[in-house]
Amino acid sequence: MKIDGILNGYQKCSRYELGPAVAEYISYIDNEPFFVSPNLTAVKTDNRVSTVNPKFVLFSAPGATGKSTLAEYIAAKYNALYWNLPKTDKIGTGTFDGSILRAVGAPKYSEFIANLNASKALLVIDAFDEAEIISGRKMLSTFISDISVHLTDYSSPNVFLLARTETAQYIASFCAENSIPIAQYEIGFFHETEAKAFIAQSIVKKGETPTIADLECINTYYNVVRSQITSEESQSFLGYAPVLQAIAIHIKKYGNRSKLLSELSNQRDCTAVIMAIMNDLLSREQADKVVPAFEKRCKEVCPSFTDWDKVYSAEEQLVRIINYILFEDTKFTNYPIDIPPQLVDEYQALLDLFIPQSPFVRRSYIDNSTKSRLGFTGPAFRDYALACMMQKDDFAEYAQVYFEESINQSYFPSQIFFDCYRALSDGIIGSEHLSYVYDSFRAKATALERPYLHCSEQLNDGGTLSYTAVFGMLSDKHPNKKDDIVMKLSVSNDELSFNQLSNISIDTSHLRVRIGRSGAEARITNSSIVCDSIQWETRNVSIESHTPEGCLLSLIHI
């Protein structure tokens, strides 16, 4: 479903002259924003909600999916009044009446309310999630109730609310409890056609048509990025507006489209683009969302505190997100934050609201029911976060817990994990991460390629040992072998650990090798192991040997 289908039947409204007292947060949108309609799905997050003759239309989505752009599009197209809610200072009892009164003036107030009921005026209220952080849920509820009281003679829903998913769920439940009927739509990801149209419109000036070279660059770039992730999960990344914006920015930097096409045709790794997108999202959450809300909410409580920009760093966000997805708990006391004691509870209240609404987090509803599943927004978000956490000694264990928990759900990291881990690790791989990193590298293989891993030890001049991991690809059909990827292997506890071994060669006579995990079969396929000893972590082992590689197990100590 597209937005114009939902809005079919609405007419452009007459404008009111607005007072200067509300200019910062209530306005008309003069210029229609750049907009490509995403897919919208009617949802019902609370079975108690009545959708018969709704008073409100509620649009919900994860962070950074274009809610504000949608709000501005509706406002511009229909001359609706646009209300940027978090700019209102704090909301609560009387905020609606007072703001509308100051906006249209006392002589026009009753007329505006009547027109709002009669579809002659429309109201778009944006960013309920940010307002919730500043004012709290109680005041949010009061604000919604005050609007509802004025909608007594409406024929269609003329007030549009926009919020991140978790806040929208609360709004829906509040409306259900108070017998306020609403229609809710979830803003989805772009399909391929819309995604490419989004990029095309982003790289040309308004009113211009993309050239054939532009379209060829877009198709090639799209396909290169898509090759990095599974087809089942590509829409959650390539259908995500911030990703498409980053691609458009990169294309626009190349005035010479032929040069870009040449580079793209030889490129299989979009790590730099993906990581830039992730970093931008994390920076936006901190600088544009959480820090301003925290400062606005708490500055009066502790005027001496000035280090607002030190909270909710990229690292802190990722640690808290993984903890939340693992345990569905926003409280994580193991992360050190240097804030005054009197702000700790307020900061936790802010985290309770914002972590579930991170652009990295997505709650998916199962079979159009109210049952949901919590997880990452998509594979790129998941594997970037895990790769980052594995570089942090204090928090790597949380990433490993995620891996272990996910094995039971048949999760394997995408090739993005390998590329991000390699880029972040300065060419050093921890032995405890080796199995996960190799699983990700294997995802790079095409049907005609065979990935392999070779681990070896070297005796240095000073008599110390060093270790190396070599990742490579073989292909019988392509005689020009790709370059191996060589990484220094940092060994912990004098051991290597694998759940499965496939095309792995280990030549480390001074190390122990742990194989398998409890309750699952360990499979060794076309692999050789020369090591000090093997520690079996499972009762069930299968060994498969195929010509020409074969299998070899050679132990120094049995």
Side-chain angles (χ1 to χ4, degrees):
M1 186 183 303
K2 300 296 183 184
I3 187 61
D4 289 341
I6 296 171
L7 300 178
N8 185 34
Y10 287 94
Q11 302 295 321
K12 206 171 187 74
C13 305
S14 299
R15 289 193 174 193
Y16 286 82
E17 184 177 343
L18 301 180
V22 297
E24 187 177 351
Y25 59 94
I26 294 180
S27 63
Y28 287 105
I29 304 298
D30 293 320
N31 298 313
E32 191 170 303
F34 164 75
F35 180 75
V36 175
S37 179
N39 297 290
L40 296 121
T41 305
V43 295
K44 196 173 184 180
T45 58
D46 191 316
N47 284 328
R48 301 169 298 169
V49 169
S50 171
T51 57
V52 178
N53 193 24
K55 282 188 176 182
F56 302 120
V57 176
L58 174 61
F59 292 106
S60 61
T65 48
K67 294 181 296 298
S68 292
T69 303
L70 173 59
E72 291 174 6
Y73 170 78
I74 296 171
K77 184 168 183 176
Y78 296 99
N79 264 348
L81 209 56
Y82 175 76
W83 190 335
N84 190 346
L85 200 55
K87 298 270 180 134
T88 317
D89 196 13
K90 290 189 176 182
I91 62 172
T93 305
T95 300
F96 176 74
D97 283 320
S99 296
I100 295 299
L101 193 64
R102 288 191 293 273
V104 301
K108 294 285 186 179
Y109 173 79
S110 295
E111 177 189 299
F112 178 83
I113 298 298
N115 284 341
L116 193 61
N117 279 273
S119 301
K120 295 180 180 179
L122 300 176
L123 178 60
V124 180
I125 308 178
D126 192 17
F128 268 83
D129 46 285
E130 294 178 50
E132 180 187 6
I133 290 172
I134 296 167
S135 303
R137 285 191 166 177
K138 184 178 180 181
M139 293 297 99
L140 203 71
S141 303
T142 300
F143 179 71
I144 293 170
S145 293
D146 286 352
I147 302 173
S148 178
V149 165
H150 290 84
L151 301 176
T152 56
D153 193 28
Y154 66 97
S155 56
S156 59
N158 302 314
V159 179
F160 302 90
L161 318 178
L162 293 98
R164 290 192 181 189
T165 304
E166 295 285 329
T167 300
Q169 289 169 347
Y170 170 74
I171 293 172
S173 294
F174 172 80
C175 289
E177 291 167 2
N178 291 273
S179 301
I180 302 172
I182 62 167
Q184 182 178 352
Y185 297 92
E186 179 77 355
I187 301 172
F189 299 111
F190 293 104
H191 291 308
E192 182 174 343
T193 301
E194 290 84 9
K196 291 179 177 178
F198 184 102
I199 300 171
Q201 289 191 27
S202 298
I203 64 176
V204 298
K205 294 179 181 178
K206 192 171 183 178
E208 292 184 355
T209 302
T211 66
I212 294 175
D214 289 334
L215 297 176
E216 191 174 354
C217 278
I218 292 167
N219 286 327
T220 305
Y221 208 130
Y222 189 95
N223 291 334
V224 168
V225 177
R226 182 167 56 186
S227 71
Q228 306 292 299
I229 52 181
T230 64
S231 57
E232 292 81 8
E233 296 181 303
S234 62
Q235 189 179 354
S236 64
F237 189 68
L238 280 169
Y240 196 37
V243 174
L244 303 178
Q245 288 167 347
I247 292 173
I249 289 169
H250 194 201
I251 292 175
K252 285 172 72 174
K253 287 180 180 178
Y254 281 79
N256 187 338
R257 298 289 192 258
S258 297
K259 181 181 178 182
L260 177 58
L261 279 170
S262 177
E263 291 182 10
L264 289 171
S265 64
N266 297 314
Q267 185 173 350
R268 295 187 65 194
D269 179 1
C270 291
T271 311
V273 174
I274 291 170
M275 291 180 64
I277 292 165
M278 301 304 173
N279 289 331
D280 286 348
L281 284 172
L282 294 170
S283 296
R284 177 180 183 266
E285 288 297 290
Q286 181 195 33
D288 298 347
K289 302 291 181 179
V290 172
V291 168
F294 188 36
E295 184 175 1
K296 195 170 187 178
R297 184 167 173 164
C298 301
K299 194 170 185 178
E300 293 179 2
V301 177
C302 189
S304 61
F305 182 67
T306 58
D307 293 333
W308 302 102
D309 58 346
K310 292 184 179 179
V311 301
Y312 215 58
S313 65
E315 178 185 283
E316 181 187 345
Q317 290 180 60
L318 294 178
V319 171
R320 293 186 182 280
I321 286 166
I322 292 176
N323 181 75
Y324 175 65
I325 290 173
L326 281 171
F327 308 112
E328 294 209 32
D329 187 0
T330 60
K331 296 176 178 62
F332 181 74
T333 57
N334 293 335
Y335 194 89
I337 308 174
D338 187 17
I339 59 175
Q342 62 267 41
L343 296 183
V344 170
D345 289 343
E346 287 287 351
Y347 186 57
Q348 183 58 57
L350 182 146
L351 295 174
D352 292 343
L353 295 172
F354 229 87
I355 291 172
Q357 313 203 59
S358 165
F360 278 68
V361 176
R362 187 167 181 82
R363 187 178 291 278
S364 304
Y365 287 89
I366 303 169
D367 299 328
N368 297 319
S369 71
T370 56
K371 295 180 180 179
S372 62
R373 181 186 299 111
L374 184 64
F376 284 98
T377 301
F381 300 89
R382 173 196 64 206
D383 291 343
Y384 170 81
L386 294 172
C388 286
M389 284 302 94
M390 286 207 160
Q391 312 305 317
K392 310 293 182 182
D393 292 339
D394 293 336
F395 306 110
E397 63 180 298
Y398 291 95
Q400 289 183 257
V401 169
Y402 183 92
F403 274 116
E404 294 301 319
E405 291 287 328
S406 301
I407 286 174
N408 297 325
Q409 303 170 26
S410 299
Y411 156 71
F412 293 98
S414 73
Q415 54 191 293
I416 292 172
F417 175 76
F418 177 88
D419 292 329
C420 289
Y421 186 101
R422 182 186 174 203
L424 293 165
S425 67
D426 294 325
I428 301 172
I429 182 171
S431 59
E432 66 275 25
H433 307 157
L434 188 56
S435 182
Y436 311 126
V437 175
Y438 179 55
D439 282 342
S440 174
F441 179 76
R442 291 170 62 192
K444 289 177 171 287
T446 65
L448 300 176
E449 292 176 324
R450 191 166 66 256
Y452 65 84
L453 168 64
H454 178 61
C455 300
S456 61
E457 65 183 23
Q458 298 83 35
L459 182 62
N460 301 319
D461 292 339
T464 59
L465 291 170
S466 60
Y467 300 90
T468 302
V470 179
F471 299 85
M473 290 283 182
L474 294 173
S475 174
D476 296 332
K477 302 292 184 180
H478 300 289
N480 296 326
K481 182 179 178 297
K482 295 175 184 174
D483 292 337
D484 289 337
I485 297 171
V486 181
M487 299 180 73
K488 180 181 177 181
L489 188 54
S490 176
V491 175
S492 301
N493 302 320
D494 292 328
E495 69 176 25
L496 303 179
S497 178
F498 295 90
N499 290 325
Q500 313 281 346
L501 288 92
S502 177
N503 298 322
I504 295 177
S505 170
I506 299 173
D507 187 3
T508 56
S509 59
H510 291 82
L511 298 183
R512 177 176 63 253
V513 177
R514 284 197 303 122
I515 299 176
R517 62 187 181 90
S518 178
E521 181 183 78
R523 184 180 299 109
I524 301 174
T525 306
N526 287 0
S527 298
S528 67
I529 305 172
V530 177
C531 64
D532 178 80
S533 61
I534 292 178
Q535 181 176 326
W536 303 101
E537 299 292 338
T538 177
R539 292 177 177 272
N540 303 306
V541 180
S542 66
I543 298 177
E544 300 178 16
S545 177
H546 303 281
T547 305
E549 289 87 355
C551 277
L552 169 68
L553 275 67
S554 177
L555 311 182
I556 306 303
H557 297 98
I558 298 178

